[in-house]
Amino acid sequence: MSSVFANVVRAPEDPILGVTVAYHKDQSPNKLNLGVGAYRTEEGKPLVLNVVKKAEQMLVNDQSRVKEYLPIVGLADFNKLSAKLIFGADSPAIQENRVATVQCLSGTGSLRVGGEFLARHYHEHTVYIPQPTWGNHPKIFTLAGLSVKTYRYYNPETRGLDFEGMLEDLGSAPLGAIVLLHACAHNPTGVDPTIEQWEQIRQLMRSKSLLPFFDSAYQGFASGSLDADAQSVRIFVADGGECLAAQSYAKNMGLYGERVGALSIVCKTADVASKVESQLKLVIRPMYSSPPLHGASIVAAILKDGDLYNEWTLELKAMADRIISMRQELFNALQAKETPGDWSHIVKQIGMFTFTGLNSEQVTFMTNEYHIYLTSDGRISMAGLSSRTVPHLADAIHAAVTGKA
Ligand code: KET
């Protein structure tokens, strides 16, 4: 009997998450997954932060807790504290009640809800995303009902920011267009504008009424400091103008599978913000009704308690520092092997990833011959690397570059 779904065409695996699927099928004891941006310890194991374990224990011990539905917008404390975390405790926008924050399903869900709100209520439906960007961005915004265009961001020759190209493309975008900006630790390139460049971007965008939509998936991971990594966003909020921000706690609290994040929309007045929030509820209710309780409760418990908060910042800094030391070790290993090429970008780039410059054939070679899994654009998750595995990766890169197996 033929299925009514017989004509369904098999879809390809996701370019990032599919790398993990392939990794799991590999039987080699030396296999190494540097695909998805997920933190691993020196021993190559996933990490549950101590502070998260403590918060979870507190939640379990609290007999008064129930499992009722959260409101459509999520946990009130979580929303308030999340806005404070990204915009800063002394942000006038928060003090003036001009921020509408809703708890969403991690960074992805926050981007999707924000995109759909803009498609319904904002006059300009074009969103500009950097070239390259996180592979899910164009799909999220297209399905949210926006039309996606790109702006120049990365110059493969300098392995740095194409600042002129970026300003030129944003300068010729239609008045009011939406612009997706990575708040810090740009994925996949690891290249961020300097503070001075952010200021220039802000001036240009405000002069053309371009609407900033920040994707903040790595706050704390770029520099190890939560405040430093939110500077880009705060520069835009400080001028009193409007913007959106999608926050994720996947990486910086290691809450990947809990799917906890927030969308904030900074408005000009408290009245507008409350109307915006009322419309966000209409986006969320038919999509998933209300967000999950557990992850947001963990985050709120940590953010509201001074001691837990401090402990979190230390654990976050330790993760960021381990990634930075992996950059140095990989760079040193390639230097020692005299691998052809300039590899200084490995230590210069910021955040979880190194955008190596390896092409897709070289990546395939490294996967087939060395059982090292990374995305085909040559991006390596430095957070998946350890001192033990650096030599293996350096061997593989050396062989891929020199054409010797
Ligand atoms: N924004 C960016 C820039 C990003 O890299 C990710 C995840 C997200 C948002 C969404 O994360 P969430 O888990 O929804 O909070 N990036 C890693 C994982 C993935 O692709 O899903 C990655 O690039 O490996």
Side-chain angles (χ1 to χ4, degrees), residues 14 16-17 35-37 105-109 111 134 137 182 187 215 217-218 248-251 256 259 353 379:
D14 180 81
I16 297 175
L17 302 183
V36 68
L105 305 188
S106 213
T108 306
L111 291 164
W134 180 47
H137 279 149
H182 294 227
N187 177 9
D215 181 355
Y218 300 96
S248 166
Y249 290 97
K251 330 276 166 153
Y256 306 90
R259 312 307 295 143
F353 305 107
R379 185 192 82 167

Side-chain angles (χ1 to χ4, degrees), residues 154-186:
Y154 179 75
N155 181 344
E157 260 143 53
T158 62
R159 293 205 170 108
L161 186 67
D162 181 358
F163 190 53
E164 259 116 72
M166 178 179 185
L167 292 185
E168 231 173 82
D169 289 350
L170 296 184
S172 50
L175 220 63
I178 306 152
V179 179
L180 188 279
L181 300 161
H182 294 227
C184 71
H186 181 274

Side-chain angles (χ1 to χ4, degrees), residues 84-88 219 227 230-238:
K84 214 170 109 181
L85 184 69
I86 190 159
F87 301 122
Q219 190 181 354
D227 287 323
Q231 274 312 103
S232 57
V233 180
R234 292 179 191 175
I235 286 174
F236 277 79
V237 177

Side-chain angles (χ1 to χ4, degrees), residues 75-86 94 97 101 303:
L75 197 63
D77 273 355
F78 167 86
N79 288 338
K80 256 194 227 111
L81 293 161
S82 293
K84 214 170 109 181
L85 184 69
I86 190 159
I94 295 178
N97 263 326
T101 304
L303 295 184

